Every structure is written in C-alpha cells, then in structure tokens.
C-alpha cells in the first residue's frame, strides 16, 4: 500500500514537472478538479506490473525480487472488498455534494442526520451512534470542495489511458510515454482536458477499462 501511495503522489509531481507554457498553473493543481487525480492514479498501475516489480523490489536478506507467485496472488486479491470501497467513495462524494449544494445542513445536528442517513443508504453499513466521519474528512474544506467525486471519475480516465496505450503498447514504451507527456501532462489545465485525452487515446474516453479494472466486467482473455 505504501508503494501504491508513493507512485500516486509521484504522479502528481510528474504532472507538475511536465507542464509547459507560460501561465500554465498545473504545478498548483489548477486543472479541472475531476481530472487532477488521473495522472497520479495512472502511476498506481505500475505497482502491479512484473517488469516493474522485478526492478523495484528486493528481499532484505537475499536481494531477490518479489517472486512471481506472490505477485500473482496479490493481483488475484486486488478486487477484495472493491465493491465496498466503491460504495464508500460514492458515499463521500454524495456527502460532499450535499454539503456544498443548494440546501446544505445548517447546524451540527443536521450534519449528523445527513451522515446517519447516507451511510447505510449508500454503503450498506449502519452508522454507529454519534459517529461522524466529517470531523476527519479533510477534502471537504480544501480545493476539493464539491469535487470529491473527481477521485472516482479520474480513475475512469486513468484506467482508460493505461489500458488503451500503455498496456497494449508496452508499459516502458518511451514513445507512448512521450505521447502521454506531450499530449496530456504538458498542456495541463489549458484548453479542454477531454480534447487532450481524445488525442492521446485516438478516441473520446470511456469507462470500459475502469469497469474491468474494478472487476465489474470481465477482463479480455
């Protein structure tokens, strides 16, 4: 999990470093909030690639890389609780949108009622009496206000980019990497993000790769 987080945050760094042009504020995350997590989520895919782990991992005593049998076991376990995790993200997104909506809760009691209502309704897990995760929901009050849904939507975009180009043409393919850099990372928040993605993908983005990555639809054999 720490390796996943490391590559996720490194994806943000690369997004900033590869931005080009005068006035391009990508280094301050000044791009559409429902896209800003896509470059970071993109790099998470590399954690699960044998070619990468053979270079990245090493046993502290033997110096040998992660055994393939262990990697395959980890990949098979990737989707454990993915449905519950997806519902949790939807729940948090709904909370965020409701609180920043046209009729927000006006006091602490109403906020508690909102949590008590939405958590079991969406996640299928009852909320313990007095429990309120809003106390630690950091994204609620920063630049993600009303945009927490962007985490899941950005995953749709990142899964499509990875599956369509890198997975098919090679995860270490320098030509694909340069296309990604110049067509997606470099323009950053300038112009229309959908146009940048369509240029890189060769078509408008879709959710097919995302559904497969979550185990919702079957992977191609």
């Amino acid at each position: 999990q720490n390796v996943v987080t490391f590559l996720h945050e490194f994806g943000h760094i690369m997004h900033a470093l590869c931005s080009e042009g005068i006035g391009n504020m990508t280094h301050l995350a000044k791009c559409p909030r429902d896209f800003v997590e896509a470059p970071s989520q993109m790099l998470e895919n590399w954690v699960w690639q044998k070619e990468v782990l053979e270079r990245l991992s090493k046993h502290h005593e033997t110096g040998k890389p992660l055994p393939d049998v262990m990697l395959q076991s980890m990949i098979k376990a990737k989707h454990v609780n993915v449905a519950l995790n997806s519902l949790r993200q939807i729940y948090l997104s709904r909370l965020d949108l409701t609180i920043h909506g046209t009729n927000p809760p006006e006091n602490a009691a109403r906020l508690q009622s909102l949590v008590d209502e939405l958590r079991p309704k969406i996640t299928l897990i009852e909320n313990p009496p007095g429990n309120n995760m809003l106390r630690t929901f950091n994204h609620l009050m920063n630049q993600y206000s009303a945009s927490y849904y962007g985490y899941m939507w950005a995953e749709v975009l990142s899964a499509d980019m990875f599956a369509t180009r890198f997975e098919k043409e090679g995860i270490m393919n320098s030509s694909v990497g340069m296309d990604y850099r110049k067509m997606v990372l470099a323009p950053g928040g300038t112009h229309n993000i959908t146009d940048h993605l369509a240029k890189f993908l060769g078509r408008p983005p879709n959710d097919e790769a995302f559904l497969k990555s979550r185990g919702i639809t079957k992977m191609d054999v």
Side-chain angles (χ1 to χ4, degrees):
Q1 185 60 43
N2 287 337
V3 179
V4 173
T5 300
F6 175 83
L7 288 179
H8 176 99
E9 302 305 338
F10 192 70
H12 284 306
I13 293 173
M14 293 305 298
H15 194 189
L17 290 176
C18 294
S19 62
E20 297 178 0
I22 298 174
N24 186 345
M25 300 294 285
T26 299
H27 64 288
L28 296 178
K30 300 301 183 183
C31 63
R33 190 54 50 178
D34 52 7
F35 173 78
V36 72
E37 294 297 331
S40 54
Q41 291 171 341
M42 261 282 288
L43 283 194
E44 292 181 23
N45 291 289
W46 270 256
V47 176
W48 306 99
Q49 309 304 314
K50 179 180 178 180
E51 182 180 352
V52 173
L53 286 177
E54 284 181 343
R55 301 169 63 179
L56 187 64
S57 63
K58 184 168 65 174
H59 191 276
H60 72 102
E61 292 179 346
T62 66
K64 293 182 179 180
L66 186 73
D68 187 57
V69 63
M70 187 177 292
L71 172 59
Q72 295 308 318
S73 296
M74 291 167 60
I75 292 175
K76 289 179 181 178
K78 266 185 73 176
H79 300 313
V80 172
N81 291 329
V82 69
L84 290 175
N85 291 335
S86 297
L87 290 176
R88 179 181 181 276
Q89 287 297 85
I90 294 171
Y91 161 57
L92 297 180
S93 301
R94 180 69 180 276
L95 274 177
D96 181 35
L97 289 171
T98 301
I99 291 172
H100 290 94
T102 56
N103 186 31
E106 68 274 11
N107 54 46
R110 288 289 299 277
L111 285 170
Q112 184 66 59
S113 296
L114 179 65
V115 171
D116 292 338
E117 174 193 354
L118 291 184
R119 186 177 183 186
K121 183 178 180 180
I122 298 175
T123 70
L124 310 181
I125 298 174
E126 291 297 323
N127 194 53
N131 180 276
N132 194 323
M133 60 77 56
L134 292 175
R135 298 184 182 100
T136 57
F137 191 9
N138 296 331
H139 288 78
L140 193 66
M141 298 301 291
N142 59 20
Q143 292 179 331
Y144 285 84
S145 302
S147 298
Y148 188 82
Y149 76 92
Y151 268 94
M152 185 165 280
W153 178 242
E155 192 172 344
V156 173
L157 303 178
S158 64
D160 196 6
M161 289 189 289
F162 179 76
T164 300
R165 295 296 309 273
F166 288 100
E167 198 168 48
K168 289 182 178 179
E169 300 177 47
I171 60 170
M172 305 300 284
N173 186 317
S174 59
S175 178
V176 178
M178 186 57 71
D179 282 349
Y180 176 58
R181 175 178 177 176
K182 292 297 185 181
M183 297 178 185
V184 179
L185 299 182
T190 61
H191 307 295
N192 189 300
I193 289 293
T194 302
D195 291 341
H196 303 330
L197 294 172
K199 185 177 181 180
F200 177 68
L201 295 168
R203 55 159 175 77
N206 62 53
D207 62 2
E208 292 180 12
F210 168 75
L211 295 176
K212 290 178 181 178
S213 71
R214 289 258 170 162
I216 298 173
T217 57
K218 292 184 178 180
M219 303 291 287
D220 294 329
V221 179

